[in-house]
Amino acid sequence: MQSHLKKLSFAGALITLGIIFGDIGTSPLYVFQTLLVEGRQVNEALVLGSISCIFWTLTLQTTFKYIFITLQADNHGEGGIFSLYALVRRYGKWLAIPAIIGAGTLLADGIITPPISVTSAIEGLSNVPALASSFVPGSKLILGIVIGIMVLLFFFQQFGTKVVGSAFGPVMLLWFLMIGVLGAIQFVHNPGIIRALNPYYGIHLLAVHPRAIYLLGAVFLCTTGAEALYSDLGHCGRKNIQVSWIFVKIALIFSYLGQGAWVLMQPAGTSFAGVNPFYQIVPYPHLFMIPCVALATLATIIASQALISGSFTLISEAVSMNFWPRITIKYPSNIRGQIYIPSINWILCFGCIAVSLYFQTSEAMTAAYGFSITIAMLMTTILMYYFMRYVKHWPVWLVTIILCLFITVEFSFFVANAIKLLKRLFFVAFEGGLIFTMYIWFKARKINNRFLNFIDLKDQVPLLNALSADTSISKYSTHLIYLTKANNARQIEEKILYSIMSRKPKRADVYWFVHIETTNEPYTMEYSVDQVEPGKIIRIEFRLGFRIQPRVNVLYRKVVEDMVARNEIDIHSRYESLNQFKINADFRFVIMEKFLSYNNSFSVKEGFILNSYFAIKKLAQSEAKAFGLDTSETYVEKIPLVVKPVGNIILKRVAAV
């Protein structure tokens, strides 16, 4: 996204409507309907109390927590749980756990939000008199349309959203205007519904209603897009989000007030089973219902698109921060930050289709919706405590009050949504798999890094110079490049020297050591060059933001081109026959991939983590491909990982027979 669109402007605000508020903006399609279903006996107390709970949830949770406070936790303009983790991770090693849980549950939301939103929209066709008999909620026709829309949505991800993305803002502007106007019309007919904004009605409903816990779980659905709102901060900028939210919240409140007003105007004893007040307040349904459903469908597709894009970004950050195996990441357009991850795309696609087939109706889906997001919000709150206290340096008393408020609200929602656990066993394996993979990958990397031994590079200069000059050894490559994990510019791993010297020594004219530092900033692209031994031993330090993919081959070539332009190095071939014709020299990368050695005797916990890690690694992208290295220029060397060598072997020698 261009930087000028992050500044407060009409264009920026319009784009914000299309990218940020799709999920939370389409919630009126199903939230109030779910409250009527859960409340069972519909009366004035239920209607006023439900809308009161919705209003104050949007005020406390969305406006106060996310719009006012959490958006301040921008990492150089970027948001999301990993951006927040990058800001606070130095204040506690254990903070990786809430970051992992929050990211895993947020990703799991990606397989239920698109189905519930799109299904709610398409079910609106049942309110068209001429179509009512065909478009019955749960029918094969509706399921077919929903699945068809989602398959197309995921199919077109590979091409990017550059072409259709410009239409997202205007469509969502029309959507919010429509829901606001429809609600305002009903509000004018029954202005007494304004009483619902009094918190007394919400508190009273939760205090006396026998199904208060179920109602609270349904109320939470009105704010489910808030976490995704923070994740998309980098696309639009804080000011655009905060100003746009004023318009969005007004439209949402009018929509809920209008639905409540319509319900209260119905005769006593009216059954609301299978009735969606959102569509009932549409005037002249034979004229306006189909355009209304069409706009709702477009809005839900846009909401789903934003969630899918957010999932790609989240996984990309997880890869950069060593929480996820390296996987294929593509760039379908020249828009900064827009990526496409095939594996995640099709996992989400199949998950959404399975959810649609399993639950069939939006009413059934809402019964299982919300649990994951409450956990994600609680994890964000934990990380936000460290941000407010140690990054912003807010006083302890203020941070404590804010934390208690958030924990009270979110834990109440967590308890309310916990009763949905049995209805959502469908998702447990998916959520568990995501969190398990992140945890295993993170812990295994920590164990792996314990056994990295570093040596001083300066001490190895005489040895490398002698090897380079030894013509009795056949030349392995003119330029030999190793990737190093040594943060200290004067060190390299001991295993790199072993690789160069052991077995058949790897003689080269120039030895390069490339190190990649992932910065806390999202889009940093910097490098420095240290000629440890001019023209012989060179170290390159890349500083890349956590949203930049380390395509080493491309980056390294760029560095070499810059060094040639500065006359810092000559890359012409060292072979006499080729040098006279100014042929460029050969370059070869060496990638060292570890495998778990049989010579290990470790604890049950470490054994489980490492065996799981290497099992997952088989499914992941190779190191060479992950770093964007051409196979013709790359040699992959297998290195055994020995965590704890097998000891106490008692072997007795006997005389030969």
Side-chain angles (χ1 to χ4, degrees), residues 297-312:
T297 304
L298 287 175
T300 55
I301 290 172
I302 290 170
S304 302
Q305 172 61 53
L307 192 74
I308 295 165
S309 298
S311 299
F312 293 160

Side-chain angles (χ1 to χ4, degrees), residues 526-590:
E526 301 172 349
Y527 82 91
S528 60
V529 176
D530 180 11
Q531 298 231 23
V532 181
E533 181 77 359
K536 284 287 184 183
I537 303 171
I538 305 171
R539 177 184 167 107
I540 301 175
E541 180 83 23
F542 287 111
R543 298 185 71 251
L544 304 179
F546 61 82
R547 287 192 173 177
I548 299 294
Q549 289 305 304
R551 292 180 282 183
V552 174
N553 200 26
V554 176
L555 297 172
Y556 174 76
R557 286 180 182 275
K558 178 62 178 173
V559 171
V560 171
E561 288 173 9
D562 288 351
M563 292 180 70
V564 170
R566 296 168 185 259
N567 294 317
E568 293 177 342
I569 192 171
D570 179 10
I571 62 168
H572 290 131
S573 178
R574 306 296 175 92
Y575 297 105
E576 293 181 8
S577 59
L578 300 179
N579 184 269
Q580 62 180 319
F581 293 102
K582 302 299 182 183
I583 304 297
N584 286 339
D586 58 304
F587 292 77
R588 176 172 288 195
F589 288 88
V590 175

Side-chain angles (χ1 to χ4, degrees), residues 406-427:
F406 290 165
I407 290 291
T408 301
V409 173
E410 288 166 2
F411 189 74
S412 299
F413 282 129
F414 172 77
V415 172
N417 282 287
I419 61 175
K420 299 180 179 181
L421 196 58
L422 292 177
K423 296 180 180 179
R424 63 185 315 282
L425 291 176
F426 181 86
F427 304 101

Side-chain angles (χ1 to χ4, degrees), residues 7-308:
K7 297 176 182 177
L8 182 59
S9 65
F10 176 76
L14 189 63
I15 288 171
T16 300
L17 291 179
I19 294 176
I20 302 293
F21 296 114
D23 192 2
I24 200 167
T26 52
S27 57
L29 281 167
Y30 49 82
V31 172
F32 198 65
Q33 178 191 26
T34 305
L35 282 162
L36 296 182
V37 171
E38 295 292 357
R40 295 186 179 176
Q41 185 178 355
V42 179
N43 52 34
E44 185 180 74
L46 176 67
V47 172
L48 295 178
S50 296
I51 296 175
S52 177
C53 288
I54 290 171
F55 175 76
W56 288 103
T57 297
L58 289 173
T59 300
L60 293 175
Q61 193 69 8
T62 311
T63 306
F64 184 57
K65 179 184 176 181
Y66 284 95
I67 299 293
F68 182 68
I69 293 181
T70 307
L71 287 185
Q72 295 187 47
D74 67 297
N75 191 335
H76 295 264
E78 297 295 331
I81 197 160
F82 281 132
S83 293
L84 179 56
Y85 169 70
L87 289 171
V88 302
R89 59 181 169 183
R90 56 171 141 349
Y91 302 111
K93 293 181 178 179
W94 70 276
L95 291 175
I97 302 302
I100 288 170
I101 296 173
T105 49
L106 196 58
L107 280 169
D109 182 47
I111 67 168
I112 190 169
T113 296
I116 192 175
S117 300
V118 176
T119 304
S120 297
I122 301 300
E123 285 177 351
L125 291 171
S126 63
N127 294 282
V128 179
L131 303 176
S133 59
S134 301
F135 288 86
V136 178
S139 67
K140 292 181 179 179
L141 181 58
I142 288 182
L143 277 176
I145 294 173
V146 169
I147 292 172
I149 289 172
M150 288 190 295
V151 168
L152 288 173
L153 176 65
F154 284 102
F155 174 75
F156 281 106
Q157 293 302 312
Q158 60 193 303
F159 305 113
T161 56
K162 184 177 181 181
V163 177
V164 296
S166 58
F168 286 1
V171 169
M172 292 308 297
L173 176 61
L174 286 175
W175 167 256
F176 286 117
L177 286 172
M178 184 190 79
I179 66 173
V181 169
L182 290 178
I185 292 171
Q186 298 298 320
F187 175 77
V188 170
H189 291 156
N190 186 7
I193 194 67
I194 195 70
R195 292 177 295 157
L197 303 188
N198 187 335
Y200 164 78
Y201 291 101
I203 295 169
H204 182 262
L205 177 69
L206 297 178
V208 304
H209 200 284
R211 293 177 58 82
I213 196 75
Y214 294 93
L215 292 174
L216 194 59
V219 166
F220 178 74
L221 300 178
C222 76
T223 189
T224 51
E227 191 69 29
L229 173 154
Y230 173 49
S231 298
D232 289 323
L233 167 64
H235 292 288
C236 303
R238 184 195 310 162
K239 291 294 183 184
N240 283 317
I241 296 175
Q242 291 174 333
V243 171
S244 300
W245 172 245
I246 298 171
F247 166 67
V248 170
K249 186 177 180 182
I250 291 171
L252 290 173
I253 296 304
F254 267 119
S255 179
Y256 288 120
L257 287 173
Q259 292 181 54
W262 178 84
V263 170
L264 291 181
M265 288 188 291
Q266 302 312 301
T270 300
S271 172
F272 292 93
V275 173
N276 188 341
F278 178 86
Y279 288 111
Q280 295 299 319
I281 65 176
V282 177
Y284 307 108
H286 57 286
L287 290 177
F288 296 116
M289 187 60 71
I290 291 180
C292 177
V293 171
L295 187 56
T297 304
L298 287 175
T300 55
I301 290 172
I302 290 170
S304 302
Q305 172 61 53
L307 192 74
I308 295 165

Side-chain angles (χ1 to χ4, degrees), residues 381-644:
T381 298
I382 293 170
L383 296 177
M384 276 302 299
Y385 166 78
Y386 283 83
F387 174 79
M388 292 184 292
R389 184 71 189 93
Y390 298 108
V391 178
K392 285 290 190 179
H393 303 291
W394 289 2
V396 176
W397 66 268
L398 178 61
V399 175
T400 303
I401 292 173
I402 293 171
L403 186 71
C404 289
L405 175 64
F406 290 165
I407 290 291
T408 301
V409 173
E410 288 166 2
F411 189 74
S412 299
F413 282 129
F414 172 77
V415 172
N417 282 287
I419 61 175
K420 299 180 179 181
L421 196 58
L422 292 177
K423 296 180 180 179
R424 63 185 315 282
L425 291 176
F426 181 86
F427 304 101
V428 171
F430 184 66
E431 283 173 340
L434 291 169
I435 295 170
F436 174 79
T437 300
M438 290 189 192
Y439 177 78
I440 290 295
W441 206 258
F442 177 73
K443 294 298 289 185
R445 299 284 292 194
K446 290 291 185 186
I447 295 171
N448 209 339
N449 290 339
R450 289 207 314 257
F451 300 95
L452 280 176
N453 296 317
F454 298 100
I455 55 177
D456 197 300
L457 185 55
K458 278 284 187 184
D459 295 342
Q460 313 309 319
V461 170
L463 180 58
L464 292 173
N465 278 334
L467 175 61
S468 182
D470 189 352
T471 56
S472 66
I473 300 173
S474 60
K475 190 184 293 186
Y476 185 77
S477 178
T478 304
H479 294 266
L480 189 61
I481 309 114
Y482 280 88
L483 298 181
T484 174
K485 294 180 180 178
N487 294 322
N488 188 327
R490 296 298 176 181
Q491 293 182 331
I492 58 169
E493 293 95 316
E494 189 175 30
K495 67 179 183 180
I496 290 180
L497 189 68
Y498 177 80
S499 169
I500 294 172
M501 298 298 172
S502 66
R503 295 184 284 263
K504 187 179 185 300
K506 297 180 179 66
R507 177 178 163 238
D509 292 313
V510 185
Y511 292 95
W512 300 76
F513 301 101
V514 177
H515 178 254
I516 300 172
E517 177 191 350
T518 302
T519 68
N520 288 338
E521 296 82 17
Y523 292 111
T524 306
M525 287 190 72
E526 301 172 349
Y527 82 91
S528 60
V529 176
D530 180 11
Q531 298 231 23
V532 181
E533 181 77 359
K536 284 287 184 183
I537 303 171
I538 305 171
R539 177 184 167 107
I540 301 175
E541 180 83 23
F542 287 111
R543 298 185 71 251
L544 304 179
F546 61 82
R547 287 192 173 177
I548 299 294
Q549 289 305 304
R551 292 180 282 183
V552 174
N553 200 26
V554 176
L555 297 172
Y556 174 76
R557 286 180 182 275
K558 178 62 178 173
V559 171
V560 171
E561 288 173 9
D562 288 351
M563 292 180 70
V564 170
R566 296 168 185 259
N567 294 317
E568 293 177 342
I569 192 171
D570 179 10
I571 62 168
H572 290 131
S573 178
R574 306 296 175 92
Y575 297 105
E576 293 181 8
S577 59
L578 300 179
N579 184 269
Q580 62 180 319
F581 293 102
K582 302 299 182 183
I583 304 297
N584 286 339
D586 58 304
F587 292 77
R588 176 172 288 195
F589 288 88
V590 175
I591 296 289
M592 290 182 288
E593 287 190 350
K594 289 185 177 179
F595 64 91
L596 193 58
S597 172
Y598 289 114
N599 184 27
N600 272 306
S601 176
F602 30 53
S603 66
V604 173
K605 180 181 177 181
E606 284 189 339
F608 175 74
I609 290 172
L610 289 171
N611 279 297
S612 300
Y613 169 77
F614 281 100
I616 295 169
K617 194 173 182 181
K618 290 178 182 178
L619 303 174
Q621 197 178 46
S622 68
E623 293 282 317
K625 192 173 181 180
F627 286 112
L629 299 174
D630 293 336
T631 52
S632 60
E633 299 175 347
T634 306
Y635 171 68
V636 179
E637 190 169 3
K638 299 291 185 179
I639 304 291
L641 174 63
V642 181
V643 176
K644 186 177 180 183

